[in-house]
Amino acid sequence: MSSSTTVSPYNVPNLLTSIRFILAVGVIAFIAMSWFGTALVTFVIAASTDWMDGYYARRYGQVTKLGRIFDPFVDKIIVCGAFTSLVEISGSGVAAWMAIIVIGRELLVTSLRGMVEGAGGDFSASQLGKWKMVLQCVAIGFTLLCLALQTPEPWLVWVTMGTLWGAILLTVYSGIDYVIIASRVMTSETPAK
């Protein structure tokens, strides 16, 4: 497998990430225009490319430094952007404090990652962090579906609220988990300096 320093950044995974970035901006714009059905379809396409670019990069040895930075950045844009946009939509169920928790957690983890990797440590995404992203995407998808239907069935509203609250709780929990991991990594590396 080629190292990330010898692989060209002009490859399929980074192209998919670039497309996802454009789609993310589209999702935010469609929510602002109250085109919830279009936002939902665009969001589902964008979320699916997140899995595809990572798989392709690992499978064909096209992991790059650009991709390692750009991919999580775009993930944050689509999730934080969607949560922030949904705050101002009446009936979305997304409160401002929820969006603040999502954004705050992402800023915290990004800072910790920079600190740990800057010191030479490894701070790759954990399984908990990946599940957090999945649940956030499910919550956003259900929220957009409810808004698109305008008068959704009561069970769908309950499922949407359940996934939304679950996503927020897992966001908090995974943030705490990353703080613990970062403190262990930094503590174990301190004596070697």
Side-chain angles (χ1 to χ4, degrees), residues 59-72:
R59 176 76 172 83
Y60 297 102
Q62 295 190 349
V63 177
T64 63
K65 288 182 178 178
L66 173 64
R68 281 179 48 89
I69 296 168
F70 193 39
D71 181 66

Side-chain angles (χ1 to χ4, degrees), residues 94-146:
V94 180
W97 65 265
M98 293 177 172
I100 291 168
I101 284 175
V102 171
I103 294 167
R105 184 263 183 206
E106 297 305 334
L107 291 171
L108 174 65
V109 172
T110 300
S111 300
L112 291 172
R113 179 172 284 118
M115 186 175 68
V116 171
E117 292 190 352
D122 180 27
F123 202 68
S124 300
S126 68
Q127 282 302 115
L128 188 60
K130 291 175 182 177
W131 280 111
K132 178 268 314 174
M133 174 72 175
V134 169
L135 193 53
Q136 285 176 338
C137 288
V138 170
I140 292 166
F142 273 119
T143 302
L144 290 172
L145 178 60
C146 282

